[in-house]
Amino acid sequence: MKQIVYLAAFICAISTTGRRSDVDAHPVSTGRKLQSDAGSEDTRCATSSLRGYDCQTIIAPRKAELHWSLHQTGSGDASQDHVRFALVCHGVEASRCALAFPEVEGHMSPADAVTGLVRRTGEAAVELYRVTGREATLQSSPPLRESSVERVAGRITLRFSRLLDNGRRVVIDPQQPLWLNWAMFEEEELGHHGLTNRGLVRIHLDSGESENVTTSLYPARVAHGVLMMLAWLLCVPLASVWVRMAQHMDELRLKAHWTLIAVGLLLTTIAAAIALAMFLPVTETFHH
């Protein structure tokens, strides 16, 4: 019986690891050479295919790509230093594209989210939301700059610029990695984006490097399935067969029967917890 309990704990540990983010550090491809403050050439970044932007990264193949450029005056006054962003979402059915700035790296909330909505009627709007848990509240400040959204050939392109200071809320430091959440919505109304139409990207504004972060649910799904199979195809049937085959239910056989039942219930509970962790959007984060 101890072996089964140990196996359950091992599988549970694997499932927890599967919920962690896998950081895929993409080598920065040849492109525009960024200049550091000292004037020396820094790491190359992939050249943006959009006019007015320096760098780009493929966030999700055939789903989303991010373009950006850092603009600093170089003077003592940094109040106008800003970053220009463009998020391109691929998908004929998509109606809304969003880019969020989380307060805690890797988490979905709290965060400031900029969304670009293109309705089926052709009406378009760029909106700023404050995301806290289940709630997304429309905001009017700090105001967005150079914002626009359009749909062309099944692609939604959301553009805006953001001050580095941003009213002291989620301040951008060009010397530190910047974590961004992205999401794509099929419905016009703001809701849950699902498990596949979202992700996390980490960019380095000073060097142009980028790292895409994916959240694979496959190990957790496998662990859930294995645990349920062990519980209901092994432990519970074995406990039932053990009772039927035993001519005399002595104390040892009775203990074995109840032990198998208890292990089966334990495995079921662990499997249910894994399922809840996978599909509850409120507790969903990129780091657990």
Side-chain angles (χ1 to χ4, degrees):
M1 296 306 106
K2 291 183 178 180
Q3 287 80 356
I4 296 178
V5 176
Y6 293 155
L7 178 61
F10 176 72
I11 295 176
C12 185
I14 294 177
S15 69
T16 304
T17 304
R19 288 289 294 164
R20 292 182 180 270
S21 301
D22 302 320
V23 179
D24 301 325
H26 295 271
V28 180
S29 61
T30 58
R32 179 183 183 276
K33 294 182 179 179
L34 300 181
Q35 300 291 326
S36 65
D37 294 337
S40 60
E41 292 180 354
D42 209 334
T43 309
R44 293 170 179 261
C45 72
T47 304
S48 174
S49 58
L50 297 180
R51 180 177 298 180
Y53 298 87
D54 294 335
C55 302
Q56 76 172 32
T57 183
I58 304 299
I59 300 176
R62 298 181 298 278
K63 280 193 175 182
E65 59 191 62
L66 178 66
H67 304 254
W68 74 92
S69 59
L70 174 63
H71 300 269
Q72 293 178 288
T73 60
S75 62
D77 182 15
S79 61
Q80 297 304 311
D81 292 351
H82 63 281
V83 183
R84 300 183 66 209
F85 294 99
L87 178 64
V88 182
C89 295
H90 303 256
V92 178
E93 301 299 327
S95 296
R96 190 186 292 265
C97 206
L99 189 67
F101 301 81
E103 290 187 4
V104 181
E105 60 184 39
H107 286 68
M108 299 293 289
S109 69
D112 292 332
V114 180
T115 73
L117 168 65
V118 180
R119 299 185 182 276
R120 292 173 177 83
T121 58
E123 180 185 358
V126 179
E127 299 170 328
L128 174 64
Y129 286 89
R130 179 63 178 171
V131 181
T132 53
R134 291 178 180 269
E135 302 296 328
T137 307
L138 190 62
Q139 304 285 297
S140 58
S141 63
L144 295 173
R145 302 165 39 141
E146 304 176 286
S147 62
S148 66
V149 62
E150 62 178 352
R151 183 203 298 273
V152 178
R155 301 193 309 174
I156 294 179
T157 302
L158 168 63
R159 304 172 189 257
F160 65 94
S161 65
R162 188 178 188 278
L163 293 174
L164 300 186
D165 180 80
N166 194 51
R168 306 304 300 173
R169 191 168 71 184
V170 193
V171 176
I172 297 177
D173 183 355
Q175 305 300 320
Q176 299 295 325
L178 176 62
W179 294 77
L180 300 168
N181 300 331
W182 71 273
M184 185 167 57
F185 304 83
E186 295 184 0
E187 301 297 329
E188 295 182 358
E189 298 302 323
L190 205 59
H192 188 232
H193 43 62
L195 296 172
T196 58
N197 292 330
R198 57 68 172 141
L200 171 68
V201 61
R202 182 171 57 196
I203 63 177
H204 302 260
L205 295 173
D206 56 345
S207 66
E209 294 179 336
S210 64
E211 298 166 320
N212 296 338
V213 181
T214 59
T215 52
S216 174
L217 294 177
Y218 180 75
R221 289 172 177 170
V222 171
H224 172 80
V226 170
L227 289 172
M228 293 299 284
M229 290 178 63
L230 287 174
W232 296 100
L233 296 182
L234 179 63
C235 293
V236 174
L238 187 59
S240 178
V241 171
W242 186 273
V243 171
R244 291 180 179 274
M245 293 183 62
Q247 296 180 357
H248 302 285
M249 283 297 291
D250 54 25
E251 184 178 356
L252 180 61
R253 294 179 184 273
L254 186 60
K255 286 184 177 180
H257 169 77
W258 284 113
T259 298
L260 287 170
I261 293 295
V263 171
L265 292 176
L266 174 63
L267 297 180
T268 301
T269 302
I270 296 175
I274 293 174
L276 288 175
M278 284 192 295
F279 297 108
L280 276 182
V282 177
T283 60
E284 181 179 285
T285 61
F286 290 96
H287 290 296
H288 290 301

